[in-house]
Amino acid sequence: MVQAFVLVVNRDPAMMQIIWLSLQVSGLAILLAALGGIPLGTWLGMRPAHRVRWPALIIYTFMGLPPVLVGLLVYLLISSQGPFGVLDLLFTPAAMVIAQTMLALPIVAGLTMTAVRGKDREIRDTAVSLGANGRQVALTVIREARVAIVGAVVAGLGRALAEVGAVMMVGGNIEGQTRVMTTAIVLETRRGNFEMAIGLGMVLLALAFLINALLYRLQGVTQD
Amino acid sequence: MLEGVTKTYGTREVLRVDRLSLTGGQVHGVMGPSGAGKSTLLRLLNMLETPTAGRILYRGRDVNRHRPRLELQRRMATVFQKPVLFDGTVYDNVAYGLRVRGVRGPEIRKKVTDTLRAVGLEQLEKERVRTLSGGEAQRVALARALVLEPDVLLLDEPTSNLDPQNVALFEELIRSASSRRGTTVILVTHNVFQARRLADTVVFVHEGRVVEDGPAAGVFRSPRDERTKAFIHGEMIY
Ligand SMILES: Nc1ncnc2c1ncn2[C@@H]1O[C@H](COP(=O)(O)OP(=O)(O)OP(=O)(O)O)[C@@H](O)[C@H]1O
Ligand SMILES: [Mg+2]
Protein backbone atom coordinates (compact mmCIF):
# COMPACT_ATOMS: atom_id res chain seq x y z
CA MET A 1 0.00 0.00 0.00
CA VAL A 2 2.74 2.41 0.95
CA GLN A 3 4.74 1.35 -2.06
CA ALA A 4 1.72 1.90 -4.28
CA PHE A 5 1.46 5.40 -2.91
CA VAL A 6 5.15 5.95 -3.51
CA LEU A 7 4.68 4.95 -7.14
CA VAL A 8 1.93 7.47 -7.58
CA VAL A 9 3.74 10.26 -5.79
CA ASN A 10 7.02 9.62 -7.58
CA ARG A 11 5.23 9.57 -10.88
CA ASP A 12 6.70 6.33 -12.03
CA PRO A 13 7.29 6.80 -15.78
CA ALA A 14 5.69 3.51 -16.83
CA MET A 15 2.66 4.33 -14.76
CA MET A 16 2.43 7.87 -16.07
CA GLN A 17 2.53 6.57 -19.62
CA ILE A 18 -0.36 4.22 -18.89
CA ILE A 19 -2.43 6.92 -17.23
CA TRP A 20 -1.77 9.37 -20.03
CA LEU A 21 -2.77 6.84 -22.68
CA SER A 22 -5.97 6.00 -20.77
CA LEU A 23 -6.91 9.65 -20.65
CA GLN A 24 -6.17 10.16 -24.32
CA VAL A 25 -8.12 7.10 -25.47
CA SER A 26 -11.13 7.69 -23.22
CA GLY A 27 -11.03 11.43 -23.81
CA LEU A 28 -11.13 11.02 -27.56
CA ALA A 29 -13.81 8.32 -27.27
CA ILE A 30 -16.09 10.48 -25.14
CA LEU A 31 -15.58 13.41 -27.49
CA LEU A 32 -16.69 11.30 -30.45
CA ALA A 33 -19.52 9.79 -28.43
CA ALA A 34 -20.74 13.26 -27.42
CA LEU A 35 -20.50 14.60 -30.97
CA GLY A 36 -22.60 11.70 -32.21
CA GLY A 37 -24.74 10.96 -29.17
CA ILE A 38 -25.99 14.43 -28.27
CA PRO A 39 -27.47 15.24 -31.72
CA LEU A 40 -28.81 11.70 -32.05
CA GLY A 41 -30.38 11.75 -28.59
CA THR A 42 -31.85 15.21 -29.17
CA TRP A 43 -33.29 14.19 -32.50
CA LEU A 44 -34.86 11.06 -31.02
CA GLY A 45 -36.09 12.92 -27.95
CA MET A 46 -37.86 15.53 -30.04
CA ARG A 47 -39.74 12.96 -32.11
CA PRO A 48 -43.00 11.40 -30.82
CA ALA A 49 -42.05 8.38 -28.68
CA HIS A 50 -44.11 5.90 -30.70
CA ARG A 51 -42.39 6.89 -33.94
CA VAL A 52 -38.89 6.15 -32.63
CA ARG A 53 -39.67 3.03 -30.64
CA TRP A 54 -37.18 0.83 -32.50
CA PRO A 55 -34.16 3.12 -32.44
CA ALA A 56 -34.85 3.82 -28.77
CA LEU A 57 -35.05 0.12 -27.97
CA ILE A 58 -31.78 -0.55 -29.77
CA ILE A 59 -30.05 2.25 -27.87
CA TYR A 60 -31.36 0.99 -24.54
CA THR A 61 -30.11 -2.50 -25.40
CA PHE A 62 -26.67 -1.16 -26.27
CA MET A 63 -26.56 0.86 -23.05
CA GLY A 64 -26.54 -2.38 -21.09
CA LEU A 65 -24.58 -4.48 -23.52
CA PRO A 66 -21.67 -6.47 -22.03
CA PRO A 67 -18.47 -4.72 -23.18
CA VAL A 68 -16.93 -7.99 -24.34
CA LEU A 69 -19.65 -8.26 -26.95
CA VAL A 70 -18.75 -4.83 -28.28
CA GLY A 71 -15.12 -5.94 -28.17
CA LEU A 72 -15.96 -9.00 -30.20
CA LEU A 73 -17.88 -6.95 -32.74
CA VAL A 74 -15.10 -4.40 -33.17
CA TYR A 75 -12.55 -7.23 -33.32
CA LEU A 76 -14.45 -8.92 -36.14
CA LEU A 77 -14.79 -5.66 -38.03
CA ILE A 78 -11.13 -4.63 -37.90
CA SER A 79 -9.31 -7.97 -37.83
CA SER A 80 -7.35 -8.72 -40.98
CA GLN A 81 -10.25 -10.71 -42.49
CA GLY A 82 -12.88 -8.18 -41.46
CA PRO A 83 -14.37 -5.46 -43.69
CA PHE A 84 -12.01 -2.83 -42.24
CA GLY A 85 -9.00 -5.16 -42.06
CA VAL A 86 -7.00 -3.18 -44.58
CA LEU A 87 -6.80 -0.26 -42.18
CA ASP A 88 -4.62 -2.37 -39.87
CA LEU A 89 -6.27 -1.07 -36.72
CA LEU A 90 -6.22 -4.16 -34.55
CA PHE A 91 -4.10 -3.77 -31.39
CA THR A 92 -3.71 -0.02 -31.82
CA PRO A 93 -5.01 2.82 -29.63
CA ALA A 94 -7.39 3.67 -32.47
CA ALA A 95 -9.08 0.31 -32.03
CA MET A 96 -9.60 1.04 -28.35
CA VAL A 97 -11.06 4.44 -29.17
CA ILE A 98 -13.53 2.77 -31.53
CA ALA A 99 -14.58 0.23 -28.91
CA GLN A 100 -14.96 2.83 -26.16
CA THR A 101 -16.88 5.15 -28.45
CA MET A 102 -19.30 2.33 -29.22
CA LEU A 103 -19.76 1.74 -25.51
CA ALA A 104 -20.17 5.38 -24.54
CA LEU A 105 -22.30 6.59 -27.44
CA PRO A 106 -25.46 4.66 -26.52
CA ILE A 107 -25.21 5.99 -22.97
CA VAL A 108 -24.85 9.58 -24.14
CA ALA A 109 -27.60 9.22 -26.76
CA GLY A 110 -29.99 7.33 -24.48
CA LEU A 111 -29.66 9.66 -21.50
CA THR A 112 -29.83 12.73 -23.75
CA MET A 113 -33.02 11.39 -25.29
CA THR A 114 -34.59 10.94 -21.87
CA ALA A 115 -33.50 14.41 -20.81
CA VAL A 116 -34.92 16.04 -23.91
CA ARG A 117 -38.17 14.12 -23.91
CA GLY A 118 -40.72 15.54 -21.55
CA LYS A 119 -39.66 19.12 -21.57
CA ASP A 120 -39.06 19.43 -25.27
CA ARG A 121 -42.62 20.16 -26.36
CA GLU A 122 -43.23 23.36 -24.46
CA ILE A 123 -39.69 24.57 -25.17
CA ARG A 124 -40.09 23.77 -28.83
CA ASP A 125 -43.50 25.46 -29.09
CA THR A 126 -42.10 28.57 -27.43
CA ALA A 127 -39.01 28.66 -29.64
CA VAL A 128 -41.03 28.08 -32.82
CA SER A 129 -43.56 30.74 -31.89
CA LEU A 130 -40.70 33.20 -31.42
CA GLY A 131 -39.44 32.49 -34.93
CA ALA A 132 -36.65 29.97 -34.42
CA ASN A 133 -35.76 27.72 -37.34
CA GLY A 134 -35.27 23.96 -37.00
CA ARG A 135 -31.63 24.15 -36.01
CA GLN A 136 -32.21 27.00 -33.57
CA VAL A 137 -35.07 25.09 -31.95
CA ALA A 138 -32.84 22.03 -31.46
CA LEU A 139 -30.05 24.14 -29.99
CA THR A 140 -32.51 25.79 -27.60
CA VAL A 141 -33.80 22.40 -26.47
CA ILE A 142 -30.22 21.18 -25.90
CA ARG A 143 -29.43 24.35 -23.97
CA GLU A 144 -32.43 23.91 -21.72
CA ALA A 145 -31.50 20.27 -21.07
CA ARG A 146 -27.79 20.92 -20.70
CA VAL A 147 -27.42 19.88 -17.07
CA ALA A 148 -28.81 16.44 -17.80
CA ILE A 149 -26.80 16.21 -21.01
CA VAL A 150 -23.55 16.95 -19.17
CA GLY A 151 -24.58 14.15 -16.81
CA ALA A 152 -25.04 11.87 -19.81
CA VAL A 153 -21.55 12.66 -21.08
CA VAL A 154 -20.01 12.04 -17.66
CA ALA A 155 -21.80 8.71 -17.38
CA GLY A 156 -20.47 7.82 -20.83
CA LEU A 157 -16.94 8.82 -19.81
CA GLY A 158 -17.28 6.68 -16.70
CA ARG A 159 -18.11 3.67 -18.79
CA ALA A 160 -15.25 4.33 -21.21
CA LEU A 161 -12.67 4.74 -18.45
CA ALA A 162 -13.82 1.75 -16.42
CA GLU A 163 -14.01 -0.58 -19.37
CA VAL A 164 -11.66 -3.63 -19.44
CA GLY A 165 -12.91 -6.45 -21.63
CA ALA A 166 -13.38 -4.75 -24.98
CA VAL A 167 -10.17 -2.76 -24.70
CA MET A 168 -8.27 -5.88 -23.82
CA MET A 169 -9.64 -7.70 -26.86
CA VAL A 170 -9.08 -5.04 -29.50
CA GLY A 171 -6.10 -3.27 -27.91
CA GLY A 172 -4.19 -6.34 -26.80
CA ASN A 173 -2.76 -4.71 -23.64
CA ILE A 174 0.63 -4.23 -25.31
CA GLU A 175 3.13 -2.61 -22.97
CA GLY A 176 3.96 0.95 -23.96
CA GLN A 177 1.41 0.92 -26.77
CA THR A 178 -2.08 -0.13 -25.79
CA ARG A 179 -1.85 -0.74 -22.07
CA VAL A 180 -4.35 1.38 -20.18
CA MET A 181 -5.15 1.64 -16.49
CA THR A 182 -7.80 -1.05 -16.32
CA THR A 183 -5.96 -3.62 -18.39
CA ALA A 184 -2.74 -2.90 -16.49
CA ILE A 185 -4.55 -3.50 -13.19
CA VAL A 186 -5.76 -6.88 -14.44
CA LEU A 187 -2.29 -7.85 -15.57
CA GLU A 188 -0.33 -6.59 -12.55
CA THR A 189 -2.76 -8.27 -10.16
CA ARG A 190 -2.33 -11.53 -11.98
CA ARG A 191 1.43 -11.15 -11.77
CA GLY A 192 1.23 -10.47 -8.06
CA ASN A 193 2.52 -6.95 -8.66
CA PHE A 194 0.10 -5.38 -6.24
CA GLU A 195 1.82 -2.00 -5.75
CA MET A 196 1.31 -1.08 -9.39
CA ALA A 197 -2.26 -2.42 -9.41
CA ILE A 198 -3.22 -0.55 -6.25
CA GLY A 199 -1.47 2.59 -7.43
CA LEU A 200 -3.41 2.63 -10.66
CA GLY A 201 -6.56 1.78 -8.76
CA MET A 202 -6.07 4.85 -6.60
CA VAL A 203 -5.60 7.01 -9.66
CA LEU A 204 -8.81 5.62 -11.19
CA LEU A 205 -10.66 6.26 -7.97
CA ALA A 206 -9.34 9.80 -7.79
CA LEU A 207 -10.41 10.39 -11.40
CA ALA A 208 -13.90 9.08 -10.74
CA PHE A 209 -14.15 11.35 -7.72
CA LEU A 210 -12.92 14.34 -9.69
CA ILE A 211 -15.34 13.80 -12.54
CA ASN A 212 -18.28 13.45 -10.19
CA ALA A 213 -17.24 16.46 -8.16
CA LEU A 214 -17.13 18.47 -11.37
CA LEU A 215 -20.57 17.25 -12.36
CA TYR A 216 -21.96 18.02 -8.94
CA ARG A 217 -20.64 21.55 -9.17
CA LEU A 218 -21.99 22.07 -12.65
CA GLN A 219 -25.44 20.99 -11.56
CA GLY A 220 -25.21 23.10 -8.46
CA VAL A 221 -24.27 26.17 -10.47
CA THR A 222 -27.25 25.90 -12.79
CA GLN A 223 -29.85 24.81 -10.27
CA ASP A 224 -29.25 27.10 -7.30
CA MET B 1 -60.03 33.55 -42.21
CA LEU B 2 -60.85 29.96 -41.30
CA GLU B 3 -62.77 27.69 -43.64
CA GLY B 4 -64.26 24.39 -42.56
CA VAL B 5 -61.48 23.87 -40.05
CA THR B 6 -61.63 20.89 -37.71
CA LYS B 7 -59.09 19.58 -35.26
CA THR B 8 -59.25 16.06 -33.91
CA TYR B 9 -57.07 14.60 -31.16
CA GLY B 10 -57.22 10.83 -31.44
CA THR B 11 -60.89 10.22 -32.04
CA ARG B 12 -62.09 13.34 -30.26
CA GLU B 13 -63.02 16.36 -32.29
CA VAL B 14 -62.13 19.35 -30.15
CA LEU B 15 -62.75 22.10 -32.67
CA ARG B 16 -65.04 22.62 -35.64
CA VAL B 17 -65.17 26.04 -37.24
CA ASP B 18 -67.23 26.26 -40.40
CA ARG B 19 -66.29 29.80 -41.19
CA LEU B 20 -64.62 32.50 -39.19
CA SER B 21 -63.19 35.73 -40.47
CA LEU B 22 -60.77 37.74 -38.36
CA THR B 23 -60.16 41.13 -39.93
CA GLY B 24 -56.60 42.41 -40.00
CA GLY B 25 -55.62 45.30 -37.75
CA GLN B 26 -58.35 44.67 -35.20
CA VAL B 27 -58.48 43.22 -31.72
CA HIS B 28 -60.47 40.01 -31.59
CA GLY B 29 -61.57 38.69 -28.23
CA VAL B 30 -62.00 34.92 -27.98
CA MET B 31 -64.19 33.81 -25.09
CA GLY B 32 -65.80 30.66 -23.85
CA PRO B 33 -65.83 28.18 -21.00
CA SER B 34 -62.86 26.08 -19.98
CA GLY B 35 -62.11 23.29 -22.42
CA ALA B 36 -64.07 24.95 -25.22
CA GLY B 37 -61.12 24.88 -27.61
CA LYS B 38 -59.79 28.43 -27.37
CA SER B 39 -56.16 27.45 -26.92
CA THR B 40 -56.54 24.89 -29.68
CA LEU B 41 -57.77 27.66 -31.97
CA LEU B 42 -54.66 29.70 -31.19
CA ARG B 43 -52.39 26.72 -31.79
CA LEU B 44 -53.96 26.32 -35.22
CA LEU B 45 -53.59 30.00 -36.01
CA ASN B 46 -49.91 30.12 -35.06
CA MET B 47 -49.25 26.96 -37.05
CA LEU B 48 -48.10 24.81 -34.12
CA GLU B 49 -50.91 22.44 -35.10
CA THR B 50 -52.21 21.68 -38.55
CA PRO B 51 -55.96 21.33 -39.04
CA THR B 52 -57.30 17.79 -39.40
CA ALA B 53 -59.44 19.21 -42.20
CA GLY B 54 -60.08 22.60 -43.75
CA ARG B 55 -57.93 25.61 -44.45
CA ILE B 56 -56.66 28.64 -42.64
CA LEU B 57 -56.14 31.57 -44.95
CA TYR B 58 -53.90 34.53 -44.24
CA ARG B 59 -54.25 37.31 -46.80
CA GLY B 60 -55.89 34.83 -49.13
CA ARG B 61 -53.23 32.11 -48.88
CA ASP B 62 -53.39 28.77 -47.10
CA VAL B 63 -50.96 29.13 -44.20
CA ASN B 64 -50.06 25.47 -44.16
CA ARG B 65 -48.99 25.54 -47.79
CA HIS B 66 -47.09 28.77 -47.46
CA ARG B 67 -43.38 28.40 -48.25
CA PRO B 68 -41.12 29.21 -46.63
CA ARG B 69 -43.11 28.46 -43.53
CA LEU B 70 -40.63 30.27 -41.33
CA GLU B 71 -41.27 33.58 -43.05
CA LEU B 72 -44.94 33.42 -42.06
CA GLN B 73 -44.14 32.11 -38.60
CA ARG B 74 -41.95 35.15 -38.04
CA ARG B 75 -44.80 37.55 -38.68
CA MET B 76 -46.64 36.15 -35.68
CA ALA B 77 -45.89 36.02 -31.99
CA THR B 78 -47.68 34.15 -29.25
CA VAL B 79 -47.98 34.44 -25.50
CA PHE B 80 -49.08 31.05 -24.23
CA GLN B 81 -51.49 30.36 -21.44
CA LYS B 82 -48.65 28.89 -19.41
CA PRO B 83 -45.63 30.83 -20.67
CA VAL B 84 -42.31 29.01 -20.59
CA LEU B 85 -39.27 31.19 -20.09
CA PHE B 86 -35.86 29.99 -21.18
CA ASP B 87 -33.22 29.52 -18.51
CA GLY B 88 -31.18 32.71 -18.39
CA THR B 89 -31.81 36.38 -17.75
CA VAL B 90 -34.86 38.49 -18.47
CA TYR B 91 -32.83 40.26 -21.15
CA ASP B 92 -31.89 36.98 -22.87
CA ASN B 93 -35.51 35.93 -23.01
CA VAL B 94 -36.71 39.17 -24.55
CA ALA B 95 -33.80 39.18 -27.01
CA TYR B 96 -34.39 35.58 -28.12
CA GLY B 97 -36.73 36.23 -31.04
CA LEU B 98 -34.53 39.04 -32.37
CA ARG B 99 -31.40 36.90 -32.10
CA VAL B 100 -32.88 34.00 -34.04
CA ARG B 101 -33.85 36.50 -36.72
CA GLY B 102 -30.24 37.59 -36.97
CA VAL B 103 -30.92 41.19 -35.89
CA ARG B 104 -27.69 43.07 -35.13
CA GLY B 105 -26.46 43.57 -31.57
CA PRO B 106 -26.97 47.32 -31.07
CA GLU B 107 -30.47 47.14 -32.52
CA ILE B 108 -31.33 44.22 -30.22
CA ARG B 109 -30.09 46.17 -27.22
CA LYS B 110 -32.18 49.20 -28.08
CA LYS B 111 -35.37 47.27 -28.81
CA VAL B 112 -35.10 45.07 -25.74
CA THR B 113 -34.41 48.00 -23.47
CA ASP B 114 -37.33 49.97 -24.88
CA THR B 115 -39.72 47.05 -24.57
CA LEU B 116 -38.65 46.21 -21.03
CA ARG B 117 -39.25 49.81 -20.08
CA ALA B 118 -42.69 49.67 -21.71
CA VAL B 119 -43.74 46.70 -19.57
CA GLY B 120 -42.07 48.14 -16.48
CA LEU B 121 -39.35 45.54 -16.11
CA GLU B 122 -36.27 47.65 -16.81
CA GLN B 123 -34.81 47.05 -13.35
CA LEU B 124 -35.09 43.29 -13.72
CA GLU B 125 -33.16 43.15 -17.00
CA LYS B 126 -30.22 41.18 -15.57
CA GLU B 127 -32.30 39.08 -13.22
CA ARG B 128 -32.42 35.33 -13.81
CA VAL B 129 -35.94 34.30 -14.77
CA ARG B 130 -36.02 31.58 -12.11
CA THR B 131 -36.31 34.22 -9.43
CA LEU B 132 -39.28 36.06 -10.97
CA SER B 133 -42.80 36.16 -9.58
CA GLY B 134 -45.71 34.84 -11.64
CA GLY B 135 -46.77 38.27 -12.80
CA GLU B 136 -43.24 39.32 -13.67
CA ALA B 137 -42.75 36.13 -15.69
CA GLN B 138 -45.96 36.85 -17.56
CA ARG B 139 -44.77 40.34 -18.40
CA VAL B 140 -41.46 38.93 -19.67
CA ALA B 141 -43.42 36.59 -21.93
CA LEU B 142 -45.44 39.54 -23.18
CA ALA B 143 -42.33 41.68 -23.75
CA ARG B 144 -40.72 38.79 -25.62
CA ALA B 145 -43.63 38.79 -28.08
CA LEU B 146 -44.10 42.57 -28.31
CA VAL B 147 -40.43 43.25 -29.07
CA LEU B 148 -40.86 41.37 -32.36
CA GLU B 149 -43.46 43.90 -33.55
CA PRO B 150 -45.47 41.09 -35.14
CA ASP B 151 -48.22 41.53 -37.68
CA VAL B 152 -50.35 39.09 -35.70
CA LEU B 153 -50.21 38.84 -31.93
CA LEU B 154 -51.81 35.80 -30.32
CA LEU B 155 -52.46 36.07 -26.60
CA ASP B 156 -53.83 33.27 -24.43
CA GLU B 157 -55.14 34.73 -21.18
CA PRO B 158 -52.13 36.99 -20.85
CA THR B 159 -53.34 38.88 -17.79
CA SER B 160 -54.33 35.96 -15.56
CA ASN B 161 -51.43 36.63 -13.15
CA LEU B 162 -51.31 40.40 -13.26
CA ASP B 163 -52.40 42.93 -10.66
CA PRO B 164 -54.95 45.58 -11.73
CA GLN B 165 -52.32 48.21 -12.39
CA ASN B 166 -50.39 45.91 -14.70
CA VAL B 167 -53.59 44.78 -16.38
CA ALA B 168 -54.26 48.42 -17.25
CA LEU B 169 -50.69 48.81 -18.52
CA PHE B 170 -51.02 45.67 -20.61
CA GLU B 171 -54.32 46.80 -22.12
CA GLU B 172 -52.77 50.11 -23.05
CA LEU B 173 -49.88 48.31 -24.79
CA ILE B 174 -52.28 46.14 -26.77
CA ARG B 175 -54.38 49.09 -27.74
CA SER B 176 -51.39 51.03 -28.97
CA ALA B 177 -49.93 48.07 -30.86
CA SER B 178 -53.23 47.69 -32.62
CA SER B 179 -53.90 51.33 -33.37
CA ARG B 180 -50.37 52.53 -34.07
CA ARG B 181 -48.82 49.52 -35.79
CA GLY B 182 -51.97 47.93 -37.19
CA THR B 183 -51.21 44.70 -35.38
CA THR B 184 -53.93 42.08 -35.54
CA VAL B 185 -54.53 40.89 -31.99
CA ILE B 186 -56.28 37.68 -31.07
CA LEU B 187 -56.88 37.70 -27.37
CA VAL B 188 -58.26 34.79 -25.40
CA THR B 189 -59.75 36.09 -22.20
CA HIS B 190 -62.18 35.03 -19.53
CA ASN B 191 -62.75 38.56 -18.49
CA VAL B 192 -65.87 40.07 -20.05
CA PHE B 193 -64.85 43.54 -18.96
CA GLN B 194 -61.46 43.19 -20.56
CA ALA B 195 -63.05 42.01 -23.80
CA ARG B 196 -65.38 45.00 -23.71
CA ARG B 197 -62.53 47.39 -23.14
CA LEU B 198 -60.24 45.98 -25.82
CA ALA B 199 -62.00 43.96 -28.43
CA ASP B 200 -63.38 45.18 -31.72
CA THR B 201 -65.03 41.82 -32.30
CA VAL B 202 -65.70 38.87 -30.06
CA VAL B 203 -65.82 35.18 -30.85
CA PHE B 204 -67.64 32.83 -28.51
CA VAL B 205 -66.47 29.26 -28.50
CA HIS B 206 -68.49 26.53 -26.85
CA GLU B 207 -67.65 22.83 -26.95
CA GLY B 208 -65.46 23.29 -29.98
CA ARG B 209 -67.98 25.35 -31.96
CA VAL B 210 -68.09 29.04 -32.66
CA VAL B 211 -71.56 29.82 -31.36
CA GLU B 212 -71.44 33.54 -31.94
CA ASP B 213 -69.15 36.14 -33.39
CA GLY B 214 -69.45 39.76 -34.42
CA PRO B 215 -68.71 43.33 -33.37
CA ALA B 216 -68.08 43.45 -29.64
CA ALA B 217 -70.58 46.18 -28.88
CA GLY B 218 -73.41 44.31 -30.54
CA VAL B 219 -72.64 40.93 -29.05
CA PHE B 220 -72.38 42.26 -25.53
CA ARG B 221 -75.52 44.37 -25.80
CA SER B 222 -77.73 41.72 -27.32
CA PRO B 223 -76.21 38.25 -27.54
CA ARG B 224 -78.20 36.05 -29.90
CA ASP B 225 -77.08 32.73 -28.52
CA GLU B 226 -78.38 31.49 -25.18
CA ARG B 227 -74.98 30.11 -24.19
CA THR B 228 -73.29 33.40 -24.94
CA LYS B 229 -75.90 35.18 -22.88
CA ALA B 230 -75.41 32.82 -19.97
CA PHE B 231 -71.63 33.17 -20.21
CA ILE B 232 -71.71 36.95 -20.21
CA HIS B 233 -74.10 37.08 -17.28
CA GLY B 234 -72.27 34.38 -15.38
CA GLU B 235 -68.96 36.14 -15.79
CA MET B 236 -70.44 39.45 -14.74
CA ILE B 237 -71.80 37.98 -11.54
CA TYR B 238 -68.56 36.28 -10.46
N1 LIG C 1 -52.74 17.66 -27.35
C1 LIG C 1 -53.99 17.31 -27.01
N2 LIG C 1 -54.35 16.02 -27.02
C2 LIG C 1 -55.61 15.64 -26.69
N3 LIG C 1 -56.57 16.48 -26.30
C3 LIG C 1 -56.28 17.80 -26.25
C4 LIG C 1 -54.98 18.27 -26.60
N4 LIG C 1 -54.98 19.61 -26.47
C5 LIG C 1 -56.22 19.94 -26.05
N5 LIG C 1 -57.02 18.86 -25.93
C6 LIG C 1 -58.43 18.86 -25.53
O1 LIG C 1 -59.13 19.78 -26.33
C7 LIG C 1 -60.12 20.44 -25.57
C8 LIG C 1 -59.94 21.92 -25.78
O2 LIG C 1 -58.74 22.34 -25.15
P1 LIG C 1 -58.27 23.84 -25.14
O3 LIG C 1 -56.98 23.87 -24.42
O4 LIG C 1 -58.30 24.37 -26.51
O5 LIG C 1 -59.39 24.54 -24.23
P2 LIG C 1 -59.51 26.05 -23.76
O6 LIG C 1 -60.73 26.60 -24.36
O7 LIG C 1 -58.24 26.75 -24.04
O8 LIG C 1 -59.70 25.88 -22.19
P3 LIG C 1 -59.16 26.78 -20.98
O9 LIG C 1 -60.04 27.96 -20.88
O10 LIG C 1 -59.30 25.90 -19.79
O11 LIG C 1 -57.74 27.11 -21.28
C9 LIG C 1 -59.92 20.02 -24.12
O12 LIG C 1 -60.96 19.14 -23.80
C10 LIG C 1 -58.61 19.31 -24.10
O13 LIG C 1 -58.65 18.23 -23.21
MG1 LIG D 1 -56.75 27.48 -22.93
Side-chain angles (χ1 to χ4, degrees):
Chain A
M1 195 67 185
V2 176
Q3 277 175 345
F5 198 69
V6 169
L7 276 179
V8 177
V9 174
N10 284 348
R11 298 202 254 152
D12 176 70
M15 190 179 215
M16 284 302 128
Q17 195 272 333
I18 291 171
I19 295 170
W20 179 228
L21 182 68
S22 286
L23 291 178
Q24 281 180 300
V25 168
S26 299
L28 190 56
I30 196 60
L31 191 72
L32 293 174
L35 286 177
I38 294 174
L40 177 65
T42 306
W43 187 81
L44 289 171
M46 287 174 69
R47 237 122 291 253
H50 64 270
R51 299 243 310 263
V52 293
R53 207 168 49 222
W54 281 106
L57 251 167
I58 291 169
I59 285 179
Y60 284 142
T61 309
F62 268 79
M63 279 172 80
L65 212 60
V68 285
L69 274 183
V70 173
L72 178 63
L73 182 68
V74 175
Y75 190 97
L76 292 176
L77 287 174
I78 64 174
S79 71
S80 53
Q81 290 99 336
F84 301 104
V86 285
L87 296 176
D88 229 359
L89 290 174
L90 195 59
F91 304 138
T92 64
M96 300 195 292
V97 172
I98 294 172
Q100 290 196 357
T101 303
M102 284 183 64
L103 285 165
L105 194 139
I107 305 244
V108 177
L111 294 180
T112 299
M113 177 174 76
T114 321
V116 163
R117 180 156 296 149
K119 72 160 145 187
D120 77 294
R121 179 168 156 139
E122 47 183 21
I123 301 280
R124 184 171 34 177
D125 285 353
T126 304
V128 168
S129 78
L130 292 170
N133 64 29
R135 194 180 53 84
Q136 290 164 335
V137 172
L139 285 176
T140 304
V141 170
I142 290 176
R143 214 183 97 77
E144 293 296 308
R146 67 187 178 280
V147 175
I149 291 177
V150 169
V153 172
V154 169
L157 179 59
R159 187 168 205 212
L161 266 176
E163 187 334 88
V164 195
V167 167
M168 188 81 98
M169 287 168 82
V170 303
N173 193 23
I174 303 168
E175 188 171 1
Q177 288 175 37
T178 59
R179 183 164 298 168
V180 291
M181 283 192 273
T182 51
T183 56
I185 290 176
V186 173
L187 184 78
E188 301 300 346
T189 306
R190 223 183 261 150
R191 279 183 181 161
N193 226 342
F194 293 113
E195 303 85 49
M196 185 78 161
I198 295 173
L200 286 169
M202 291 195 302
V203 174
L204 260 180
L205 200 67
L207 269 174
F209 178 79
L210 216 76
I211 291 168
N212 280 294
L214 200 75
L215 175 68
Y216 198 74
R217 256 203 71 172
L218 262 173
Q219 290 183 331
V221 165
T222 40
Q223 277 174 0
D224 59 359
Chain B
M1 164 83 90
L2 285 79
E3 278 181 4
V5 170
T6 67
K7 180 66 192 177
T8 310
Y9 287 120
T11 55
R12 216 175 120 228
E13 185 179 277
V14 296
L15 196 67
R16 170 180 288 276
V17 180
D18 296 329
R19 194 177 179 80
L20 177 64
S21 181
L22 301 163
T23 314
Q26 294 192 333
V27 179
H28 306 280
V30 177
M31 310 193 72
S34 192
K38 306 180 296 294
S39 297
T40 305
L41 178 64
L42 283 201
R43 291 181 65 83
L44 286 166
L45 291 174
N46 71 9
M47 299 158 68
L48 285 176
E49 308 273 355
T50 48
T52 310
R55 299 190 305 161
I56 298 171
L57 304 173
Y58 178 70
R59 299 191 173 154
R61 289 163 76 188
D62 187 338
V63 295
N64 289 299
R65 285 162 187 265
H66 191 284
R67 294 290 178 275
R69 199 182 159 76
L70 189 64
E71 191 256 332
L72 196 53
Q73 196 99 55
R74 286 186 173 172
R75 291 200 228 160
M76 304 189 263
T78 307
V79 176
F80 292 98
Q81 193 166 3
K82 284 180 272 174
V84 176
L85 299 182
F86 299 132
D87 189 26
T89 63
V90 168
Y91 183 92
D92 290 334
N93 269 275
V94 180
Y96 184 89
L98 297 171
R99 284 184 182 146
V100 297
R101 281 165 175 76
V103 176
R104 288 179 322 110
E107 200 181 333
I108 293 183
R109 170 137 284 283
K110 183 178 182 321
K111 285 189 170 178
V112 172
T113 311
D114 289 350
T115 309
L116 283 175
R117 191 171 311 123
V119 298
L121 286 176
E122 65 268 36
Q123 296 98 338
L124 296 180
E125 185 184 295
K126 294 192 178 68
E127 208 67 35
R128 301 198 72 83
V129 293
R130 234 179 286 116
T131 62
L132 299 182
S133 75
E136 287 163 349
Q138 204 162 34
R139 281 188 282 158
V140 173
L142 180 68
R144 191 167 65 173
L146 282 175
V147 76
L148 301 173
E149 303 180 348
D151 294 341
V152 182
L153 186 57
L154 302 149
L155 306 166
D156 201 344
E157 296 180 39
T159 56
S160 55
N161 279 321
L162 299 185
D163 56 61
Q165 197 184 338
N166 275 306
V167 170
L169 175 69
F170 157 83
E171 289 180 1
E172 194 43 50
L173 285 168
I174 297 307
R175 223 175 270 122
S176 86
S178 165
S179 61
R180 277 203 266 145
R181 290 203 62 258
T183 306
T184 309
V185 180
I186 297 167
L187 168 73
V188 174
T189 178
H190 276 296
N191 186 326
V192 175
F193 299 105
Q194 180 167 69
R196 284 191 159 181
R197 287 191 295 264
L198 280 179
D200 299 305
T201 82
V202 283
V203 179
F204 271 93
V205 187
H206 192 93
E207 289 174 3
R209 307 296 181 105
V210 173
V211 293
E212 184 155 357
D213 74 289
V219 173
F220 284 124
R221 200 179 320 112
S222 49
R224 278 166 289 141
D225 192 278
E226 280 306 316
R227 288 162 296 190
T228 315
K229 205 178 285 177
F231 186 85
I232 293 174
H233 287 295
E235 284 287 320
M236 301 228 282
I237 292 164
Y238 297 111

